[in-house]
Amino acid sequence: MTTWDGFQAFATTPMATPPPPGAPPRNLEERLAYHSRFVTVRTLMILGRHQAVTARPSLIVTGPAGAGKTTALLQVGRACHLAHTRRHGATAAAGQVPVAYILVPPAASAKTLATEFARYLGIPVAAGMSQAQITGAVCHTYTAAKVQLVMIDEIHRLNPRTTTGAQSADLIKDLTERIGATFVYSGIDVTTTPLFTGVRGAQLAGRASLIDCAAFPARLGDSEPFRDLITAMEGALDLRHHRPGTLPQLAPYLHERTAGRIGSLARLIRQAAITALIDGTERITKTTLEAIRLDHLAEQHYRPHTRTRSRSTSTS
C-alpha cells in the first residue's frame, strides 16, 4: 500500500462480494479466497451514520487498536481513487495520482518521513540529499501528479515532545501548506498521546475534525448498531448451510467477545467462515466462534470474564 503501484492495484481490485441470487455456485478455492479478503462493510460509512462530522480541512481517525481504523482509511482512499477515475475517465486520469498512503515509521525523523513520501511516488532520493531537498522534490512531484488526498497512518508514532518528533510534526505542517491536498490521519487513541499537546498539537487539533472509531455500541437509543453490523456481515457470507439470522441472534455474545471492536468482529467472522468451509459444515455456530482465538486485546477482555463466570457457577 505504501507505493503508488501497490495502492493503485488495491483500489482497482473489485471488492469482495457474495454471489448474486441465481449465480452458479463458486468452488471451494474461490470461496476460501473470498472469505480471506471478506471486506464486508465500509466501516467509515457505518460510523458516519452515528456521528456528525463537520467539513474541515483535514480529518483524524482515532480509536483503540483493532477498531478498523486502517480499513476505514483505505476504503476512503479507494473511494477517492475510483471517483477521480470516473470523473475524468481512465485516459485523462492516466499519469495522475489522486491518493497517497503514507505509513509513519517508528521513531521517524523528519528526513525519514519525507523519504517515505518520496518512496510512495518513486521519487529518487540520493544519499547526500538534505531534508529540504527531499521535501522540495516531494512537494513538486505531488503537485504535478495532482494528489488530492494524503492519508497518513500510524500518526500516534509521532511525539512532538521529542526533537525528532517535533521536526516530523513541523514537516507535516509544511507539507499541508505546500501540497494542495486534503490530509487524513489515523492513529491509536491520538487524543491521549502527546500529538495534541503544546503549540504543534494545538495547530493540528485546530485544523482537523475527529472521527472516533471507539468500540461499537450494542445499543444507541432505539437502534442496535452492532446487531445491524453483524446482519450486514452475515449477508455477505458465502456458506451453503448457514441459517440466516444465526449471527444477529448472537449479537450480545459477539459484542462481549470482541469488546465491540469492528476489526475484531470482522476477523472472528472471517476465520469462522474459513473454518466452516474447511471442515465441510458450511455454517457458523457459537461452537465454531468459541473455538477461534482472537487478537490479544479481545481475548483479554473476554476470557477473564468467562473464567470468573465459570468459577462462580461451579461454586454455586
Side-chain angles (χ1 to χ4, degrees):
M1 298 295 183
T2 54
T3 65
W4 166 235
D5 288 342
F7 185 85
Q8 186 178 35
F10 158 77
T12 55
T13 299
M15 295 278 286
T17 57
R26 296 188 281 197
N27 62 38
L28 178 61
E29 289 300 319
E30 290 172 331
R31 290 186 296 141
L32 281 171
Y34 164 67
H35 286 105
S36 295
R37 290 163 58 199
F38 202 50
V39 182
T40 58
V41 180
R42 296 187 178 183
T43 312
L44 199 58
M45 293 174 63
I46 291 179
L47 289 169
R49 295 175 192 167
H50 305 288
Q51 179 173 339
V53 180
T54 56
R56 297 289 295 278
S58 61
L59 192 70
I60 298 175
V61 181
T62 185
K69 299 180 299 299
T70 296
T71 299
L73 198 65
L74 292 175
Q75 292 306 320
V76 169
R78 180 202 289 268
C80 179
H81 174 88
L82 295 177
H84 178 83
T85 303
R86 285 194 300 269
R87 186 164 55 249
H88 298 284
T91 303
Q96 298 181 11
V97 181
V99 179
Y101 175 74
I102 310 299
L103 194 65
V104 176
S109 66
K111 186 172 182 178
T112 58
L113 185 55
T115 301
E116 286 298 304
F117 274 84
R119 189 172 70 86
Y120 182 81
L121 284 186
I123 302 169
V125 176
M129 289 179 68
S130 67
Q131 177 200 321
Q133 289 173 318
I134 299 172
T135 302
V138 165
C139 292
H140 171 77
T141 308
Y142 274 54
T143 300
K146 300 185 183 301
V147 176
Q148 300 174 0
L149 177 68
V150 177
M151 304 183 298
I152 304 180
D153 207 354
E154 306 287 349
I155 193 72
H156 59 273
R157 290 176 173 173
L158 296 184
N159 182 358
R161 293 177 181 172
T162 67
T163 301
T164 56
Q167 292 170 348
S168 298
D170 287 342
L171 169 68
I172 291 177
K173 180 176 180 294
D174 187 26
L175 293 175
T176 62
E177 293 171 349
R178 297 174 62 182
I179 299 174
T182 298
F183 279 67
V184 179
Y185 313 95
S186 176
I188 297 174
D189 295 331
V190 296
T191 55
T192 63
T193 69
L195 196 63
F196 272 1
T197 61
V199 175
R200 293 177 178 85
Q203 289 176 331
L204 177 61
R207 296 183 177 193
S209 295
L210 193 72
I211 287 187
D212 191 351
C213 294
F216 226 54
R219 181 173 292 278
L220 193 65
D222 294 331
S223 65
E224 297 183 72
F226 194 76
R227 190 184 298 271
D228 294 341
L229 180 64
I230 294 168
T231 301
M233 288 186 169
E234 185 181 66
L237 291 171
D238 189 6
L239 298 173
R240 291 169 184 168
H241 303 310
H242 183 80
R243 184 168 59 85
T246 300
L247 296 185
Q249 288 176 2
L250 294 173
Y253 158 75
L254 289 169
H255 193 273
E256 181 182 18
R257 179 77 193 276
T258 63
R261 295 188 180 95
I262 295 177
S264 299
L265 176 68
R267 186 158 45 248
L268 177 61
I269 294 178
R270 179 175 64 243
Q271 293 181 13
I274 291 172
T275 298
L277 287 170
I278 292 173
D279 66 19
T281 60
E282 296 272 350
R283 63 179 179 271
I284 298 176
T285 64
K286 187 175 181 180
T287 301
T288 313
L289 297 166
E290 279 284 277
I292 294 170
R293 286 196 63 81
L294 272 176
D295 56 276
H296 182 66
L297 283 176
E299 293 295 338
Q300 285 294 101
H301 170 82
Y302 178 68
R303 295 301 178 188
H305 176 70
T306 56
R307 284 197 294 267
T308 301
R309 185 172 56 196
S310 298
R311 283 199 299 268
S312 300
T313 302
S314 60
T315 302
S316 61

